[in-house]
Amino acid sequence: MNLRDIHIPVLLERCIELLAPALEKDGAVLVDATLGMGGHSEAFLDRFPGIRLIGLDRDTDALRIAGERLAPFGDRVRLVHTVYDEIGLHAQDASAMLFDLGVSSLQLDEADRGFAYSKDAPLDMRMDQTRGTTAADIVATYSEGQLRRIFERYGEEKLAGRYARFIVEARAERPILRSGELVDLLVAATPAAAQRSGHPAKRVFQALRIEVNSELSALADAIPAAMDALAVGGRIAVMSYQSLEDRLVKQAFAAGAASTAPAGLPVELPEHAPRFRILTKGAEQASEEERARNPRAIPVRLRAAEKIRETA
């Protein structure tokens, strides 16, 4: 397997450009909070020979593959099996942080993981296959109201109530254990007019994946923790692939870049000054050229910030 053929890092050059000022000194530490198959990390280690890497991932398959890929860099690399909301336990005073959110190329491309609605597989969707609840468990045990809630909240699905009702009715007849079975059910539940606006399973599968892996709650904790763990002058870059993720990142960065001075205070005291400076104008997107070359870059939204002072 040639990883460079199956895994093209998204917005690689822009991420390097944004984080470079924090990584130019020997001994600088980059934390790749979503290591995946190590494509971004490999490029950073190559480009900055003086840096060290701490790579985090909850997926043991990803850690194994990335470990093989990054082996030539020897003791410059430390890999950790963890969820990124525990980033503060593994990195303090880091020079730079990188997050590449959402489902990875590895998880999408390996059919037996159950992430892709285009491939029939056991309905799993766990990023960490050593523990946790599967998508099949959720489909089997959540009430109609709970299913509707996650489809609405995490998938922004307009037909959430209809899909939840069809699932509950279908599982009373027989268990829904495979992704193909769920896809067939969702297609059957979707009015013909609605099918013209995209695949019926897309948003439901996204919602199930987020629920299985507690992605948004972990992210809501991880971004502020990562910002706290940065050294002054350190930089953080986050790539999101859907609006719910991007909203959390935007809010965390905005809070860090805002003054905490009480309204009406005539002079801003140093302890109320912003802790961060936003480095991107809004959320940056991939170029048309990159989108054509790498379809997984199409939905990406990139935000970055620099830490300019410690908490008082």
Side-chain angles (χ1 to χ4, degrees), residues 7 9 12 23 49 52 61-62 75-76 81 99 107 109-110 114 219 229 258 261-262 278 289 300:
H7 176 226
L12 176 60
L23 295 172
R52 294 183 292 114
D61 286 344
D75 60 7
R76 292 173 60 201
H81 180 217
F99 286 77
Q107 292 156 350
D109 291 339
E110 290 201 355
L219 182 62
I278 306 298
E289 180 185 355
V300 71

Side-chain angles (χ1 to χ4, degrees), residues 81-124:
H81 180 217
T82 188
V83 182
Y84 49 50
D85 59 354
E86 297 182 345
I87 195 166
L89 300 177
H90 305 288
Q92 287 296 326
D93 295 321
S95 309
M97 303 270 191
L98 179 65
F99 286 77
D100 187 6
L101 302 173
V103 64
S104 73
S105 300
L106 173 66
Q107 292 156 350
L108 281 173
D109 291 339
E110 290 201 355
D112 63 357
R113 303 293 294 271
F115 286 97
Y117 54 81
S118 60
K119 302 171 183 176
D120 183 42
L123 201 53
D124 192 322

